Amino acid sequence: MIAIFQALAPIFLLILLGAALRARGFVPDLFWPSVEKLVYFVFFPCLLVGTLVRADLALGAVAPMALAMAGGMVLTAAFVLAIRPWTATDDPGFSSVFQGAIRPNNYVSLAAAATLFGAEGLGLMAVGIAAIVPLANVLSVSVLQRYGANGQRGLKATAMALARNPLILAVAAGLALNLLGVRLPGVVEDTMEALGGVSLPLGLLAVGAGVNLRAIGTAPRPTAISAAAKLVGVPSATALCCWALGVDGTEAMVAILYHAVPTAAASYVLARQMGGDGPLMAGIITVATIAAAVTMPIFLTIAGSVPM
């Protein structure tokens, strides 16, 4: 476990640095939304395309991995819906509990995959993101439409947003080029590699800048339920799905890793848009981000020692 903790430590130190920079006002607050936009629309897609073009992916192994990742999310979503009466919150609050329980932070997952498993892990994680991002959005929007105070974003609008999602488009482009055996011109590949190299450090700093310590403790029971479901429930369910589907090795560890990361900061934006409980969502994101520094090394150590 010590080796995994040491490998993951730089990721959480960058998150901590982002939180410190935001708290100290080292740069204007307007800086962080601009960073997130650049990472999301430019740097991150460059990383995904460049990684997948060079990746040696066996689709026969990737498909069961993606299915196991989806299965872990769906099982946990069903469990959280089943325990709604025990979450001790109102309908908008429950929609935030649900989002917090299932939506993974892609910046942390990619950084962790690259750190622990190198280029192979990065390529596998990119494929997993393409499979899970649509599912996570559809599940979240469906629950917000049912429980949010002003669920105004329909599934059709969600489908259109997913069709324009830069991460999904980047993965699709990278996979297409890979399968067709097309290599990018050297100058293009070098430029994309340089841009992609910026994405993870900046993305992690932005994750830290989004941490809101004042939001902790406003609703301890629903916050704890949501964070526990995210950091323990989904990776456990994913491990079970990996075992059932015969997914093992690096594929299994990447699948489990993807769901062991904290809640996505984008959950807060969607909660605000569709009438979820914004302050509760901010608290869930913050608690899950802090707790993941402890739970991720422990969970990955346990998962790595148990044959799938």
Side-chain angles (χ1 to χ4, degrees):
M1 186 176 75
I2 294 177
I4 293 177
F5 181 83
Q6 288 176 335
L8 295 176
I11 293 172
F12 287 98
L13 286 174
L14 281 171
I15 292 173
L16 181 62
L17 176 60
L21 291 173
R22 177 70 180 267
R24 300 293 296 176
F26 184 75
V27 292
D29 283 350
L30 291 176
F31 170 79
W32 296 109
S34 299
V35 166
E36 291 176 359
K37 189 174 183 179
L38 271 173
V39 170
Y40 187 69
F41 286 100
V42 181
F43 301 148
F44 213 12
C46 286
L47 174 69
L48 295 175
V49 172
T51 298
L52 289 172
V53 166
R54 298 187 299 270
D56 182 15
L57 296 173
L59 292 181
V62 172
M65 180 199 76
L67 186 59
M69 294 166 75
M73 178 176 285
V74 170
L75 287 173
T76 306
F79 174 76
V80 173
L81 286 168
I83 65 168
R84 186 179 74 83
W86 290 277
T87 56
T89 186
D90 57 11
D91 283 355
F94 174 72
S95 70
S96 293
V97 169
F98 183 87
Q99 274 208 95
I102 68 164
R103 289 177 68 102
N105 191 305
N106 293 319
Y107 299 145
V108 179
S109 66
L110 275 170
T115 298
L116 294 173
F117 306 110
E120 179 188 7
L122 197 59
L124 290 169
M125 189 64 80
V127 174
I129 286 173
I132 298 304
V133 165
L135 176 63
N137 277 276
V138 169
L139 289 173
S140 297
V141 169
S142 299
V143 167
L144 277 160
Q145 282 186 309
R146 168 64 180 83
Y147 296 105
N150 58 329
Q152 56 192 1
R153 184 180 179 186
L155 292 179
K156 182 178 179 181
T158 301
M160 293 297 293
L162 289 173
R164 298 190 297 269
N165 186 295
L167 308 186
I168 296 175
L169 292 175
V171 171
L175 283 176
L177 292 171
N178 185 303
L179 293 174
L180 293 172
V182 177
R183 291 300 300 267
L184 298 171
V187 64
V188 174
E189 189 168 324
D190 291 345
T191 301
M192 293 187 72
E193 184 176 356
L195 292 172
V198 177
S199 65
L200 294 179
L202 278 180
L204 293 172
L205 288 173
V207 170
V211 167
N212 182 1
L213 295 177
R214 291 189 297 273
I216 296 178
T218 56
R221 183 171 176 179
T223 299
I225 289 173
S226 184
K230 178 70 199 71
L231 300 176
V232 179
V234 196
S236 297
T238 303
L240 179 63
C241 290
C242 286
W243 173 79
L245 294 170
V247 180
D248 56 13
T250 304
E251 289 83 4
M253 290 301 292
V254 167
I256 294 167
L257 170 62
Y258 183 61
H259 285 309
V261 301
T263 305
S267 304
Y268 178 78
V269 177
L270 193 58
R272 291 287 300 271
Q273 287 177 342
M274 296 189 63
D277 188 328
L280 174 58
M281 192 75 258
I284 292 169
I285 293 168
T286 299
V287 169
T289 302
I290 295 171
V294 176
T295 60
M296 280 179 65
I298 295 174
F299 204 94
L300 290 172
T301 299
I302 295 172
S305 64
V306 178
M308 294 294 159

